[in-house]
Amino acid sequence: MVSFLPRLLLLVTLLASGFTPVSSECTDCGLCYNHGGNYKCLATYSPTCDKWHAMFDCPAGTPCETTNDPDKGRLCAAAADGGSEAGTCPRCGEHPAIDVAGCCSPLREGATYAPTPVPPATTTWSRGQAEMLPRHAWVVLDHNDGPDDSSFGVAVAVSEEFVWVGGKTTSKMTMKNPHLVDGRIAVAVPDSEDGDMFLTKVTLEGEPVSIHTFPGSEAEQPNGLAVSADGSFLSMVGYFRGTLTLGSEEYRNDATQLTDGSDCGSNCPKDAFLSKISAADSSVVWSVHFPHQGDASTELFATAVTAAGDIVYGGHIANTGRLGVLANDGVVKRWETVYDDSVGPFNDLKELPNGDFVAVGSLAGSANFGGEVGTISSTYSGSREALVLVLDAETGYAKWAALMGSPYQYSRASKGVLVATTDTDIYVACAGPCSHIRISNDGTAGGNMMSSQHKGGIAKFTAAGTPLWISELPTYPQGMAANTGSAVYVNFYESAPVAYGADTFTNWVGADTKDQFIIKFDPTDGAGEWVMQQGGTGKEYVRRMAMDARGDIYTTGKTGSSPGHFDTVKMTAHDNANENDMFLAKMATSVEGLPYCKMTKGVLKGGYCFFQNTCFEDGMLMPPGDLVCVGAEEPEVEVEPVPETEGLSSAASSVMGRSVTMCILSIVVLP
């Protein structure tokens, strides 16, 4: 039986949620559409029902959801019993009058349902600020030295002693922790003119150990890393074009033209690879090449290592989901399945203590997964929904599945689907907004309906498949981590202010600014507990996240800010001329305490400001980049400032008095 906490709105079925059956005909063809969760109506005649002919939002409470163009939105009419096919109502060529009161909404069982009910306000967040917070322990950077240099951390894995990052670089890498006195520096020079794929190893104390590169002739990238339970080896998966050397093997992707004879240039089909790598010296133990098929790419996105030492891999071929397991020796293939073409790529996977594993991807339509799951179909016709699939690692037998979808999702794919596991539970994050849950062994749909402004969702399941809660994410998740006894953490990047209940966190403003945000969820009920921001006036473009056995988290990506603020760690000692320096950061989330600029709860030390859960010293710039901290000379009780906004920049005045708790004597606006 599906059960949810009282704080969440239950939607047992579409009818129970307030959908009202109406005629299967629309008032206007091509009138309304959904673009990325933004509902629009056509204000002028469009001969092609083109979704870009939108002039204004649909009325509140009636998020219009139809066009009669299946490539641009939902069909305008449902197939009548024994009658015409769906989508045969007259096109816009008849110049129908614009009438926003009669829009159609999602099709279901031969009828449409309108209007879509207005979702309730968020219940995930009361505030984004908190009194007790973690701190960053260290940040390791690639200190490359030129405007044409670039490096990017993509995948991350952690053992009891080390953390590894896989990524790509265009030039010499110099990995060091600038705050570690007399710390080791790791250096590597790529063999290829255009750069190589790399794997770097760092201690849990933040000291670089090594960098190993894997030469390739064109484009190559590791997408996923996993480390064995004993820490002796890693599994690395990804893609390449041209050639790629893994140990003693050189693999060749021979695609230079498409099957029609045209030159594919930089968009030639990708080949995939999987390699087992020694944790001691990063040498390749063995590797496997997965070729493309015709013009269709093959790519692996995720990997895991089972308790028995077998390697699980997931990805796609021709955008169709692919899963498999290789034995520890790399020779025996336990099993592999390429699913129906309605199953999208598998983006992430994690092992479970009982020998099963969880794979997450997407589903649009129906697919037969066999086992105890059988055939399941996406809940909302025309939508691509997040797919959660639990399988036996030895046989590939499907034990249960879940779908996370939404009537707001439409044909847009569930992006950024991620999974984290503990001894007893499974967490899944996705975009879309994937706000409804349906389990393969339970015909009811549940979950909370989120406002269209929420671009993602995070849900908790038991290992047996019972959904426990679902909460909102403000945007596409990039990484997620959890462990037994820990909270669950999600990171993402954002270039616009984000509201967390009563608090709105503003971003640093620059030419191409993206800040990393890490958010914490209570594992009991999914309530948001705090938000931590890392960034500066440059770009903090983040990817995956990992957690060690203690409960501390590690994030990776690339940074272009100098200075870059990782709460207690201020990064100033790197050349950011290229704005693309790989970083690896450790946040000690296992311990929370008062921020270092506070004497006690609500009392700041002299010479500090506390803004968006970050301490700033007197004279330092604060987000959005044109505010200067002017700290009191003596300790002061924190107040919610209500400053005079006259003379402030629009970016500055937009955040003051709403999302901040700080003590300042004045606000200085830079020219």
Side-chain angles (χ1 to χ4, degrees):
M1 182 66 183
V2 180
S3 63
F4 295 86
L5 297 176
R7 62 185 282 278
L8 301 179
L9 173 66
L10 296 181
L11 296 179
V12 178
T13 64
L14 277 173
L15 292 176
S17 68
F19 286 95
T20 305
V22 298
S23 167
S24 62
E25 295 183 358
C26 298
T27 301
D28 297 296
C29 289
L31 173 67
C32 307
Y33 73 94
N34 173 299
H35 177 61
N38 297 313
Y39 301 102
K40 302 288 183 179
C41 294
L42 299 181
T44 58
Y45 161 67
S46 169
T48 60
C49 298
D50 193 325
K51 64 185 178 183
W52 300 114
H53 286 252
M55 298 300 181
F56 55 88
D57 291 329
C58 294
T62 312
C64 309
E65 302 173 356
T66 60
T67 73
N68 67 334
D69 186 339
D71 293 330
K72 305 211 181 283
R74 292 192 180 278
L75 299 178
C76 204
D81 293 338
S84 61
E85 296 181 356
T88 57
C89 59
R91 293 184 64 82
C92 299
E94 300 299 322
H95 294 67
I98 300 297
D99 179 6
V100 298
C103 302
C104 296
S105 59
L107 304 176
R108 186 175 176 85
E109 297 177 356
T112 59
Y113 296 84
T116 301
V118 178
T122 176
T123 57
T124 299
W125 294 95
S126 58
R127 300 198 65 178
Q129 295 198 142
E131 290 291 340
M132 307 297 283
L133 295 165
R135 301 182 187 181
H136 267 91
W138 49 259
V139 180
V140 170
L141 283 174
D142 171 23
H143 290 62
N144 53 44
D145 54 5
D148 297 326
D149 296 337
S150 176
S151 58
F152 187 14
V154 178
V156 60
V158 62
S159 71
E160 293 184 358
E161 297 181 82
F162 302 103
V163 56
W164 287 267
V165 172
K168 53 186 178 181
T169 182
T170 63
S171 58
K172 175 183 176 181
M173 295 185 68
T174 304
M175 293 289 295
K176 61 182 177 180
N177 182 339
H179 295 90
L180 193 63
V181 178
D182 298 326
R184 184 173 0 190
I185 299 174
V187 178
V189 179
D191 292 340
S192 305
E193 182 178 347
D194 295 330
D196 290 333
M197 190 169 70
F198 72 84
L199 179 67
T200 185
K201 179 179 178 181
V202 179
T203 70
L204 299 191
E205 290 71 39
E207 185 171 30
V209 176
S210 63
I211 308 173
H212 190 87
T213 60
F214 304 89
S217 64
E218 293 186 26
E220 58 280 331
Q221 176 176 297
N223 291 324
L225 278 177
V227 62
S228 60
D230 62 3
S232 64
F233 71 90
L234 295 97
S235 172
M236 182 169 70
V237 298
Y239 78 88
F240 72 97
R241 295 187 177 99
T243 62
L244 175 64
T245 300
L246 295 170
S248 60
E249 298 287 343
E250 181 181 83
Y251 298 112
R252 180 173 298 275
N253 179 341
D254 59 4
T256 57
Q257 291 184 327
L258 300 178
T259 53
D260 63 4
S262 61
D263 185 2
C264 53
S266 61
N267 293 314
C268 290
K270 300 174 182 177
D271 284 5
F273 70 86
L274 183 156
S275 58
K276 178 181 178 180
I277 296 174
S278 168
D281 59 7
S282 298
S283 61
V284 176
V285 181
W286 52 258
S287 58
V288 178
H289 175 208
F290 299 82
H292 63 280
Q293 292 187 0
D295 293 343
S297 289
T298 294
E299 188 167 2
L300 296 181
F301 293 115
T303 185
V305 181
T306 69
D310 292 342
I311 294 178
V312 189
Y313 57 89
H316 76 92
I317 181 166
N319 287 315
T320 299
R322 178 184 205 168
L323 292 172
V325 176
L326 283 171
N328 186 276
D329 59 8
V331 176
V332 177
K333 182 180 289 187
R334 303 290 188 201
W335 58 271
E336 182 184 77
T337 302
V338 177
Y339 292 90
D340 298 340
D341 58 11
S342 57
V343 180
F346 287 97
N347 191 61
D348 198 10
L349 51 87
K350 292 291 188 300
E351 67 277 11
L352 289 166
N354 65 354
D356 296 340
F357 73 92
V358 190
V360 291
S362 62
L363 177 68
S366 300
N368 185 356
F369 295 94
E372 298 173 39
V373 174
T375 299
I376 58 174
S377 303
S378 49
T379 308
Y380 302 101
S381 177
S383 289
R384 178 165 292 279
E385 301 171 15
L387 169 67
V388 185
L389 188 62
V390 175
L391 306 102
D392 184 299
E394 291 188 1
T395 64
Y397 182 82
K399 294 190 172 181
W400 63 267
L403 293 173
M404 296 172 64
S406 165
Y408 297 99
Q409 202 153 334
Y410 288 78
S411 58
R412 179 172 154 207
S414 290
K415 298 180 180 179
V417 190
L418 303 172
V419 63
T421 58
T422 72
D423 287 346
T424 56
D425 299 302
I426 297 168
Y427 297 95
V428 178
C430 61
C434 52
S435 58
H436 296 161
I437 298 174
R438 187 162 61 87
I439 306 298
S440 59
N441 55 13
D442 192 325
T444 60
N448 65 331
M449 177 177 283
M450 298 179 285
S451 307
S452 59
Q453 66 179 349
H454 298 291
K455 297 180 182 178
I458 177 173
K460 180 180 181 179
F461 301 83
T462 67
T466 301
L468 300 177
W469 51 256
I470 184 168
S471 292
E472 297 94 345
L473 289 174
T475 189
Y476 309 142
Q478 297 293 326
M480 181 168 62
N483 210 336
T484 301
S486 79
V488 57
Y489 303 88
V490 176
N491 73 323
F492 55 90
Y493 60 84
E494 185 56 79
S495 57
V498 177
Y500 303 92
D503 294 332
T504 296
F505 279 57
T506 191
N507 296 70
W508 290 90
V509 174
D512 185 22
T513 305
K514 291 179 175 65
D515 293 346
Q516 174 178 239
F517 289 87
I518 300 174
I519 53 181
K520 175 187 177 182
F521 293 93
D522 187 320
T524 304
D525 60 4
E529 295 197 358
W530 50 248
V531 183
M532 297 289 284
Q533 179 181 10
Q534 299 82 46
T537 55
K539 180 186 344 183
E540 275 60 49
Y541 190 90
V542 299
R543 283 297 183 94
R544 295 298 176 91
M545 174 191 292
M547 178 180 285
D548 63 25
R550 181 172 175 171
D552 297 331
I553 60 175
Y554 303 81
T555 59
T556 191
K558 61 182 177 182
T559 176
S561 297
S562 185
H565 299 275
F566 286 70
D567 51 83
T568 55
V569 181
K570 182 181 176 183
M571 306 302 299
T572 59
H574 69 113
D575 177 4
N576 70 321
N578 56 77
E579 298 188 354
N580 289 291
D581 291 340
M582 172 263 172
F583 77 86
L584 170 64
K586 176 180 181 177
M587 179 181 276
T589 43
S590 60
V591 179
E592 294 183 0
L594 283 172
Y596 70 90
C597 60
K598 291 189 178 184
M599 297 183 66
T600 60
K601 180 179 179 180
V603 179
L604 278 172
K605 296 178 182 178
Y608 286 96
C609 302
F610 186 64
F611 182 66
Q612 297 185 172
N613 285 337
T614 301
C615 295
F616 292 92
E617 298 176 6
D618 184 59
M620 292 177 64
L621 291 176
M622 302 184 298
D626 55 1
L627 294 182
V628 178
C629 168
V630 181
E633 294 182 1
E634 300 294 335
E636 290 280 353
V637 176
E638 289 180 283
V639 295
E640 290 283 355
V642 186
E644 295 291 336
T645 58
E646 183 178 356
L648 293 181
S649 70
S650 60
S653 61
S654 68
V655 300
M656 299 307 297
R658 290 195 295 149
S659 66
V660 299
T661 305
M662 61 183 179
C663 180
I664 59 177
L665 293 180
S666 62
I667 300 173
V668 180
V669 181
L670 299 180

